[in-house]
Amino acid sequence: MPILSDIPADIRRAACAFHEAGHIVVGWHHRRYITHAWLRPPYGSSGETCFEPYSRGFQSGNPIDLQRAEVEITILSAGYCGEMIYWNEEGLKWYPGAIASHEDDLQQMMPYIALLQPPDEAGLRARCANAATAILYRPAMLAAQAAIARRLSDRRRIDRDEVDAIIGRANG
């Protein structure tokens, strides 16, 4: 398995763009829209997707909020799933295996997991990852993810209007 620093910068940037595009596409599917997403300078090998904030917080006894919490875990899982689409579809020799770049997503899941208090946390995360993967592998979503990732990789930033246009075109 290659050392992460041995992977060429353009390949790492493309993988990161697919990671962020995974969050964006699955979020869009669940009507969680971004304000913007970007790849951090200087190389774009890490990124961030910023979603519009909720108008209210989460309450543990509210079934709607529990459902929203699971959606958030699904969206957070979508980054890793989206990146794996890049590595698998491209057939690149550089796949780094389990990498630490997903730790941030896992940390962001923790408040939602705490709210849900699942008897099987690993099972919940697996279910959410499977749901994210199912969304991402729909042909229109694969096309949208690739187009969003290209835009992110080339320009290092994307806004909601661009995402809406790309996904609208992909969904015909």
Side-chain angles (χ1 to χ4, degrees):
M1 206 157 310
I3 298 169
L4 193 59
S5 60
D6 289 345
I7 301 171
D10 60 328
I11 291 174
R12 288 179 63 199
R13 182 174 49 256
C16 181
F18 266 79
H19 178 106
E20 297 307 323
H23 291 308
I24 293 166
V25 168
V26 172
W28 191 93
H29 171 82
H30 285 288
R31 298 175 192 239
R32 288 284 288 131
Y33 303 111
I34 67 164
T35 56
H36 66 283
W38 62 297
L39 303 182
R40 293 184 182 102
Y43 305 110
S45 56
S46 70
E48 182 177 9
T49 298
C50 300
F51 288 91
E52 292 178 348
Y54 280 112
S55 58
R56 63 176 184 79
F58 289 74
Q59 297 176 0
S60 62
N62 186 329
I64 292 172
D65 289 344
L66 297 177
Q67 188 176 28
R68 287 191 318 160
E70 191 162 324
V71 164
E72 289 301 312
I73 295 168
T74 301
I75 293 168
L76 287 162
S77 299
Y80 180 80
C81 300
E83 188 172 333
M84 291 304 98
I85 287 171
Y86 171 77
W87 292 116
N88 291 335
E89 296 297 319
E90 296 297 325
L92 298 171
K93 66 179 182 175
W94 300 103
Y95 173 60
I99 54 177
S101 67
H102 310 297
E103 289 299 318
D104 184 48
D105 292 334
L106 293 172
Q107 288 302 313
Q108 289 180 54
M109 287 179 197
M110 295 315 293
Y112 302 112
I113 291 171
L115 180 73
L116 292 170
Q117 299 178 354
D120 178 11
E121 180 181 325
L124 169 67
R125 288 197 341 241
R127 185 173 69 247
C128 291
N130 287 339
T133 301
I135 293 164
L136 290 170
Y137 269 103
R138 293 176 185 162
M141 295 305 196
L142 278 171
Q145 182 191 18
I148 290 166
R150 271 192 307 277
R151 177 80 50 97
L152 263 172
S153 188
D154 292 346
R155 297 187 185 163
R156 312 285 171 93
R157 182 181 170 94
I158 194 164
D159 297 314
R160 178 181 173 173
D161 291 343
E162 295 171 288
V163 167
D164 288 347
I166 290 169
I167 294 177
R169 280 193 302 274
N171 283 305

